[in-house]
Amino acid sequence: MKTGNQIAAESLKEQGVEYVFGIMGHPVIDLALCMQAAGLQYLGFRNEQAACYAAQAYGYLTRKPAAVLCVSGPGLLHVIGGMANAQVNCWPLIVIGGSCPQDHEGIGGFQEWPQVEASKPYCKYAARPPQATLIPLHVEKAVRLSTYGRPGAAYLDLPATILTQSVDEDRIYKVNPCPPPPLVYPDQRLVEQAATLLVQARKPLVIVGKGAAYGRAEAEVRSLVHLTDIPFLPTPMGKGVVPDTDERCVSSARTFALQQSDVILLLGARLNWMLHFGRPPRYQSNVKIIQIDLCPEELHNSVQSAVAIQSDVSTAVESLITILKARKWSVGRSSPWWKDLLAKSNHNKTMVNRMAMDTSVPLNYYTVFKHIQDVIPPDSIICSEGANTMDIGKTILLNNEPRHRLDAATFGTMGVGLGFAIAAALYCKTNAPKKRVFCVEGDSAFGFSGMEIETMFRYKLPIIIIIVNNNGIYGGLDNETFRQIQASGEPTQVTPPYSLTSETRYEKMLEMFGHKGHFCTTVQDIQQAIKSSLKVTDAPSMINIMINPQADRKEQKFNWLTESKL
C-alpha cells in the first residue's frame, strides 16, 4: 500500500525533479517529509512567493522544472504572483498545492478556496487528480507541458483526502519519464529569405534575447556574429550568449543602433515593452524584422515581421550560418554603419566613464558599479533588481557567459532577487562549485524578501548580497532632510511616498546569525568588502553601500517607456 503523499513524491522524483522549494503546513506536512524520503532536495523558505521565484530560476538555469510546495488557500495565493512571473517570463515551473479535504468543500472547510480555477490564468496546465492512483499521470503531464513549446508554469492540486488516501501499488498508474523537449527545425525557404534580407541590408543588427540563452544557442549565435562581424545587442537576460566584452557588442550605442538599423535579426526576443514594441520613434518606420521564435503565436506580434521563422534559435541560426558562409557575406568593419556605431559607442562610454570616475562621497551609481566590476570574478552569476540599481547595473556589470544574469525581466517584478540568488547558488553548488553569485539589490527591492537571508544561512549558501542604498524608491532623502520632514508633522502626511528610512543599516541583519556585514561609503570600502566576502564559502555576506539619495542615470534620449507612435 502507498499513500497519495508517497505517490506524489515518488512521481516527481521519477520525472527528474530534483529540488522542491516551499513552506510546509497543513495539509502537506507529510508530503514534505515524503519528498525528502524519495530523494528530493527540499528547501524551506520564509515566504511562498520567494520560494516560487527560486524554483522558476532553477528551471531557467537547468531547463528542468523545480517544484514549489505550498499549503492550501493563502499559501497558494502567495504563490500566484510567482506563478504569473514564471508564465510571463516563459520559465518551467511546477506548483504543488495542498487543498481542503474534498468532504469539507462547500461547507466552509479550513482554507477552502477554488485553487484550480484560481491558478488557470497564471499557468499552462492546472488540474486536480481525481484519485491518488492517477497522480503519476498528472505529474508527467505537468513536467511535459511546463517544458514543451513555450515553457511556463503548471499547477497540481492535491486535496488532503487524496494525499492521505492509501491504495494498492498495482493500481497506481505507471508512466515513463518525460523525454526532453524535441528540437524544432526551421523552414529552409524562410531561412533563405532571411539570409537574402541580411545580405541586402546596409545597417543590419542582431538582437539576442533570453530565448537564445534558455535554448542553449550560444555556440551558434557566437559563430554567426564572428563569421559575419554583424553588430549585436543583448536584452538584459540575453547578456552573455555572446560575451558583453566582444568587440561586436554595441550596447553602449543601444538607442542609436535600434533607431538606425534597417534589418534586425531577432533571436528569441519579444517585441514587447523591453524592445519598445518594434515601433517608431525607437525604430525606423520601414525597418525589416527577421524573427526567430519557438512559439508561433509570438510571430508578427506588435509589428509584422518581414520573415517569421518558428524554430529553436540554435537550429535556425545554424542553417543561417551555412547559407551566409556559402555567400561569403559579412558586415565590413570599415563600413559607414560600423564607423557610426563605434563613434556613438565611444562617445557614450566617455560620458559614463567620467561619471564612474567621480569618487566623491556620497557616491553615484556609475562609480559604485564600475568599482564592483573591477573586483568581482568575471564568471560570476549576477542577480539584480531595483529601478536604477538594475537598469544602470546591467550596463556596467558584464556577463561573458549565458544565463549568468537574472533580473526583474519581462514582468518587471520586484522581490525576485534573493529567491533567484538562492537558485543560482544551488545550481553552482552542483555544476560549478567555485563560481560565485552576487545579488545586487536596490534598498527598496531588498525589502520584499529580505528575510530569505535566513534561508541562505540555513542551507549554507555563500551568496554575496550588495544593497545599493539611496534611502528610497527611485530616490530618497538625505539623513538630515528625512529627520526634519518627519519632525514637521504626522509621518503619514509629510513623509514622501518614495522615501524609506534614511541610512538604514541593513548589513546588521547578519548579526542575528553571528556574522558581520559591511557598511560602505567609499570606493575603498566597497572593494575591500567584496574581497573579504569572497573568502566566505559557507554563508551569505552582505554589503550595504550608501549612495547619494538623488543620484540618477545619465540623460536619456527617450523617457522610460516612451510611447511608440504609429
Side-chain angles (χ1 to χ4, degrees), residues 141-158:
K141 188 170 183 180
V143 170
R144 179 161 39 88
L145 268 62
S146 72
T147 54
Y148 278 40
R150 173 179 278 179
Y155 173 68
L156 292 180
D157 192 63
L158 297 176

Side-chain angles (χ1 to χ4, degrees), residues 28-327:
V28 294
I29 297 170
D30 288 340
L31 177 54
L33 296 171
C34 285
M35 285 172 165
Q36 287 184 315
L40 295 165
Q41 298 192 56
Y42 177 86
L43 285 87
F45 274 63
R46 305 303 299 265
N47 179 280
E48 292 95 345
Q49 201 164 335
C52 195
Y53 295 143
Q56 63 195 256
Y58 197 82
Y60 170 69
L61 291 169
T62 63
R63 296 192 78 187
K64 297 190 299 183
V68 178
L69 180 66
C70 64
V71 304
S72 50
L76 175 69
L77 289 172
H78 290 168
V79 166
I80 279 178
M83 287 175 64
N85 194 66
Q87 188 70 2
V88 172
N89 278 342
C90 309
W91 289 358
L93 171 74
I94 296 174
V95 176
I96 308 291
S99 60
C100 171
Q102 290 163 296
D103 55 334
H104 292 180
E105 290 181 340
I107 55 173
F110 176 67
Q111 295 183 334
E112 180 182 355
W113 187 254
Q115 296 183 189
V116 174
E117 293 84 353
S119 299
K120 282 183 177 179
Y122 312 104
C123 58
K124 294 177 69 178
Y125 178 64
R128 171 190 286 183
Q131 56 191 36
T133 57
L134 294 175
I135 289 174
L137 181 150
H138 289 275
V139 170
E140 186 277 338
K141 188 170 183 180
V143 170
R144 179 161 39 88
L145 268 62
S146 72
T147 54
Y148 278 40
R150 173 179 278 179
Y155 173 68
L156 292 180
D157 192 63
L158 297 176
T161 38
I162 287 180
L163 290 172
T164 57
Q165 183 182 10
S166 294
V167 297
D168 292 330
E169 289 195 45
D170 58 3
R171 292 181 54 221
I172 299 171
Y173 189 90
K174 300 295 187 293
V175 59
N176 293 324
C178 177
L183 275 175
V184 179
Y185 286 82
D187 183 330
Q188 288 300 316
R189 295 169 300 178
L190 295 176
V191 180
E192 289 278 359
Q193 292 176 26
T196 298
L197 268 185
L198 284 172
V199 170
Q200 294 172 349
R202 292 174 54 251
K203 299 179 179 180
L205 178 70
V206 169
I207 298 178
V208 183
K210 178 177 58 184
Y214 179 83
R216 305 300 194 271
E218 53 266 23
E220 292 81 5
V221 177
R222 290 180 183 189
S223 293
L224 173 68
V225 168
H226 295 160
L227 171 72
T228 63
D229 269 337
I230 191 169
F232 75 92
L233 285 174
T235 63
M237 277 196 283
K239 282 161 58 72
V241 172
V242 186
D244 285 344
T245 52
D246 191 289
E247 59 185 352
R248 302 162 190 85
C249 180
V250 292
S251 290
S252 296
R254 183 181 188 270
T255 296
F256 179 82
L258 293 178
Q259 204 171 29
Q260 296 297 316
S261 56
D262 59 356
V263 174
I264 293 176
L265 176 60
L266 196 65
L267 302 178
R270 291 176 276 181
L271 290 176
N272 54 21
W273 68 272
M274 296 183 76
L275 287 175
H276 322 293
F277 313 106
R279 299 177 183 175
R282 295 293 190 117
Y283 298 78
Q284 294 188 51
S285 59
N286 59 348
V287 64
K288 294 180 173 61
I289 305 292
I290 301 167
Q291 187 179 12
I292 298 175
D293 201 285
L294 185 65
C295 177
E297 289 83 1
E298 189 60 38
L299 301 177
H300 305 296
N301 193 37
S302 184
V303 296
Q304 186 165 17
S305 297
V307 182
I309 303 172
Q310 184 201 1
S311 174
D312 273 278
V313 172
S314 59
T315 55
V317 172
E318 187 175 37
S319 296
L320 190 57
I321 288 171
T322 301
I323 297 169
L324 294 176
K325 189 179 291 185
R327 297 191 187 186

Side-chain angles (χ1 to χ4, degrees), residues 279-440:
R279 299 177 183 175
R282 295 293 190 117
Y283 298 78
Q284 294 188 51
S285 59
N286 59 348
V287 64
K288 294 180 173 61
I289 305 292
I290 301 167
Q291 187 179 12
I292 298 175
D293 201 285
L294 185 65
C295 177
E297 289 83 1
E298 189 60 38
L299 301 177
H300 305 296
N301 193 37
S302 184
V303 296
Q304 186 165 17
S305 297
V307 182
I309 303 172
Q310 184 201 1
S311 174
D312 273 278
V313 172
S314 59
T315 55
V317 172
E318 187 175 37
S319 296
L320 190 57
I321 288 171
T322 301
I323 297 169
L324 294 176
K325 189 179 291 185
R327 297 191 187 186
K328 298 180 180 179
W329 176 78
S330 67
V331 183
R333 296 301 292 273
S334 60
S335 66
W337 177 225
W338 259 118
K339 288 179 179 179
D340 291 344
L341 286 169
L342 290 174
K344 192 65 176 178
S345 290
N346 291 335
H347 173 74
N348 289 343
K349 286 178 181 177
T350 299
M351 290 178 59
V352 169
N353 190 57
R354 185 163 51 244
M355 298 174 73
M357 295 309 293
D358 177 6
T359 59
S360 58
V361 175
L363 300 172
N364 67 66
Y365 285 104
Y366 296 89
T367 303
V368 166
F369 290 127
K370 189 253 188 236
H371 290 89
I372 291 173
Q373 175 63 31
D374 284 347
V375 294
I376 66 172
D379 65 342
S380 300
I381 294 180
I382 299 170
C383 306
S384 185
E385 61 176 330
N388 287 333
T389 296
M390 182 177 67
D391 289 342
I392 298 172
K394 72 188 176 189
T395 67
I396 300 176
L397 300 178
L398 305 181
N399 298 104
N400 290 329
E401 297 183 40
R403 299 170 296 280
H404 277 52
R405 178 180 170 87
L406 301 166
D407 67 20
T410 310
F411 212 24
T413 307
M414 292 295 107
V416 297
L418 275 69
F420 284 2
I422 289 170
L426 292 172
Y427 173 81
C428 292
K429 189 175 181 180
T430 303
N431 298 279
K434 294 184 179 180
K435 193 182 294 290
R436 298 308 298 265
V437 176
F438 285 81
C439 184
V440 184

